[in-house]
Amino acid sequence: MEDIEKFIRGFSRLQKQYLSEPAALDSLRQGQHPGTLVIGCCDSRVDPALLTGCDPGDMFVVRNIANLVPPCTPDAPPGVSSAIEFAVCGLEVARIIVLGHAGCGGIRALMSSARVTEETDFVARWMRIAEPVRRSVLRELHHKQHEQQCRAAELASILHSLDNLLTYPWIKRRVEAGKLALHGWYFDLGSGTLLAYSPRKQEFLSIIDPVGAAPERLCA
């Protein structure tokens, strides 16, 4: 009951902050016009709106295990793909952010030695989307510790999802026309930092450092 009461108090704060002003409420009633689609993980510690301090209507969010994007194929999971299609073709968002994070349980399941044994192992079946990431990490970092392999897979899976986004023709067309930008972000739970992928440097760089740390400028 404590959780339920906390949730109700939270809604009360939201009501006072956003829903008590007629103008703000009217704007929300008229429909949504987010400029950003965020594809994040289901992990309860990495809520995209909470992490970025967004207001209602700022972002369209798709969450799944390990923030994966399936490639555009006839048998692609319709839940994630349809949400992406609606955000891009319907809402015409200007950017897509794939938001990964440290300590991802889905990635750890992917990198585990255990394989799928039952058809009802939905997590393992879903994580097959990132199987190329697992193979690549194990091939290139076979000499590294398991934790290092998992972190490498967390980062690589973001890039894999960005590549998969470009298999959707209506995304590829918009990117090539300069109407849609793709971003890869990584929230490091251990250090409290936010990293973004720099295509120019081909690495993830800090865009928000811990308090007191000297910032490393991101050059996209």
Side-chain angles (χ1 to χ4, degrees):
M1 285 302 295
E2 289 182 1
D3 282 348
I4 295 298
E5 292 172 357
K6 178 180 179 180
F7 299 156
I8 294 172
R9 291 194 301 270
F11 180 79
S12 179
R13 290 193 299 271
L14 173 83
Q15 190 179 55
K16 293 176 182 177
Q17 184 174 357
Y18 296 107
L19 307 182
S20 60
E21 292 293 332
L25 190 55
D26 286 344
S27 177
L28 293 176
R29 284 173 176 163
Q30 291 170 9
Q32 59 171 326
H33 306 283
T36 299
L37 163 64
V38 176
I39 301 169
C41 184
C42 293
D43 194 300
S44 60
R45 302 166 294 176
V46 290
D47 183 280
L50 185 63
L51 289 178
T52 56
C54 281
D55 296 330
D58 283 351
M59 63 169 56
F60 189 84
V61 179
V62 178
R63 299 182 72 176
N64 61 64
I65 299 295
N67 43 269
L68 297 181
V69 174
C72 183
T73 60
D75 59 346
V80 173
S81 299
S82 63
I84 295 172
E85 181 182 35
F86 178 71
V88 174
C89 300
L91 299 175
E92 297 183 340
V93 295
R95 68 197 60 81
I96 300 176
I97 300 173
V98 178
L99 175 62
H101 69 97
C104 180
I107 294 298
R108 274 152 178 70
L110 173 72
M111 300 305 293
S112 170
S113 58
R115 310 314 299 159
V116 180
T117 57
E118 299 181 17
E119 283 302 307
T120 53
D121 192 345
F122 294 115
V123 172
R125 288 164 59 191
W126 170 254
M127 292 307 300
R128 286 172 180 163
I129 295 170
E131 179 62 21
V133 170
R134 187 187 75 87
R135 292 197 302 264
S136 176
V137 168
L138 292 180
R139 181 177 63 252
E140 297 177 12
L141 301 179
H142 60 89
H143 57 294
K144 297 293 185 180
Q145 296 294 321
H146 181 68
E147 283 301 311
Q148 294 172 295
Q149 292 176 344
C150 286
R151 182 178 175 91
E154 288 164 353
L155 296 170
S157 68
I158 296 173
L159 303 183
H160 184 61
S161 286
L162 291 174
D163 287 342
N164 282 348
L165 283 171
L166 292 174
T167 65
Y168 293 80
W170 25 271
I171 289 180
K172 185 177 177 61
R173 285 195 299 267
R174 284 169 169 80
V175 169
E176 291 176 345
K179 296 180 178 179
L180 180 65
L182 306 183
H183 304 272
W185 286 9
Y186 179 82
F187 174 47
D188 191 327
L189 278 161
S191 63
T193 59
L194 182 63
L195 311 179
Y197 183 72
S198 167
R200 188 174 71 83
K201 291 193 173 183
Q202 297 188 336
E203 62 179 317
F204 283 85
L205 302 175
S206 297
I207 51 176
I208 297 293
D209 289 296
V211 176
E216 181 178 4
R217 297 299 180 186
L218 172 65
C219 298

